[in-house]
Structures are given as C-alpha cells and as structure tokens.
Amino acid sequence: MLGRGRRPAALGGARHGRPVDIFHADLGLLCDARRAGEEIAARYPSLDVLVNNAGLHAFAQRVTTEGLAEMTAVNYLGPFVLTEALTSKLGASAPARIVNVASEAAQQAKTIDPAEDLQRTDPCTRRESMPLYGRTKLMTIMWTQELARRLDADKVTVNCCDPGFNATGLGRDLHGSAVLQRVLNTLRIGDPRRGADIIVRLVTDSAFAGTTGGYFSARDARPLQCPGPGREPRAAGAVGRDRGASRRPPGRLRTRIRTRS
C-alpha cells in the first residue's frame, strides 16, 4: 500500500491475517512517485495488481515545488509516473491488472487540451475548481484507454471506473465538511464500500480477465463511454502523440519535469 499522510504506519499491521507493507510517498511530487515505484518494483519478485486510487479536490489553486498544479499532479501525473515505474514488473508478472479510479466529474470538463492543461497553474475560485478536477479525471480515462492500446492485453489489462459518490473526505478543504461527513455517515449516504466494490471486481473478477481499455460504473459494472471532449481526435492525439506516450507526459511537460528532477 502506498500512502501519504502524517501517520502512514496507522494503515499498516495486518488485514485478514496478512501483513500489509506501507510505502510512504507524496504523489503530488513526481520524483516521490517515481522513487516509490522503483522501491516497490525492487521489493517484490512479482506484482499482480496496481490500483491508482489517489484523489484530491483542491478548491483553490496550490502549486507543488515542482511547479505543477497539485490537483493535476496527485490525480493524474503522480499515478502516471508511478505506473510507468511499475509497468515492466507488471508485464513480467503476467497476467496482471491495472485499475485507475476516475470519476463522473469527468463530464464537468467541457474542453480538454492535455499539453496545455497539464501546465496550468493559474488561480481558480471554488466554482472554477470543479471543471479543473473534472479534467484530471477525464485525462485519467483517456490515459487508461491509451495505455490499454499500448500494452499487450495477454500480459497486462488496464481499466478505469467511476466509483460514484463516496463520503471519503475528498472535500475536506471546505468549511463545515467534517460536520457534513458525519451527517452522511449517519444517514449511510456515500458508503465507500459501494465505491470499493467496482474496484475489487475489476481487480479480481474472472469476467474482466480479458477486458482492457474499459470505463465502468459502480452501478452494476455498467460500461461507460469516455466523455465527449476526451474522444475528440486532437485531444486523444495529445495523449498518444508517439510510441512513448504510454510512458511519459506530453513534450513540453517532459522537458520541465526533467529539468526539475
């Protein structure tokens, strides 16, 4: 398990009688994501599953020390770099599965230009943060489908899902969010176990063993279509611009990351 927080050890111990190894990393820092991926790859002889479930909704713009919008880094670029570091290990452990957690919020992104959107760090209001969050999730869907095209499905499958509404503290930056979460928990609204179910199914269900490039709903694993802007050829081309697109971000951002790392 890869965790970020002040008390990562609190996630450790044993689950169902089995030990859980904790790797501490900030996925908002690409150098940290890369380091964690390399440590995990070196630690284990095989890797059967990778679930990218990190998520952040920043209601005001925050910029990382690497010069990236924190929400973009945590939701998309960090998992991208982590996956890059683990792809060879997953391929060597075939059959393996990658599951990326997207969101229905991807529909809030009315336009998408990955080469530009990945580099934007201009201030935003609380209202403006929603389509920005949606763009990070739309890029996750687009990346999932592009990665699925690049990888041998007999070795590694790649799918993503919309886990639905889950009261997991994603909006913790908002005033009064703690009270709201207690109310939701009391009313049993947004139970995270429901959102986790589709992730577990994509990881373990034999029905998905040969499925790759899919986007699925928490509602009965119903197949979903990538929102319209992500199907636009120019935008899709920005994700899969060259044969290395499944392993690295678009050109100008590659230069920037390399310079800062």
Side-chain angles (χ1 to χ4, degrees), residues 215-217 219-225:
Y215 174 37
F216 298 94
S217 170
R219 302 179 185 91
D220 301 321
R222 177 170 51 89
L224 300 172
Q225 191 173 42

Side-chain angles (χ1 to χ4, degrees), residues 6 30 41 57 73 130 133 141 147 159 163 170 191 198 214 236 243:
R6 297 176 182 177
L30 305 193
H57 188 152
M130 192 60 197
Y133 174 77
I141 300 168
L147 187 57
N159 293 288
L170 187 66
D191 187 342
I198 181 59
R243 291 190 62 82

Side-chain angles (χ1 to χ4, degrees), residues 20-21 38 49 56 65 83 112 114 134 141 157 161 220 227 231 252:
V20 177
D21 295 331
E38 291 170 352
V49 172
L56 170 72
T65 56
T83 302
I112 187 79
I141 300 168
T157 60
C161 63
D220 301 321
R231 302 195 305 271
R252 277 182 285 175

Side-chain angles (χ1 to χ4, degrees), residues 45-48 88-96 155:
S46 63
L47 187 65
D48 301 313
S88 294
K89 177 69 71 172
L90 287 159
S93 308
K155 294 182 177 180

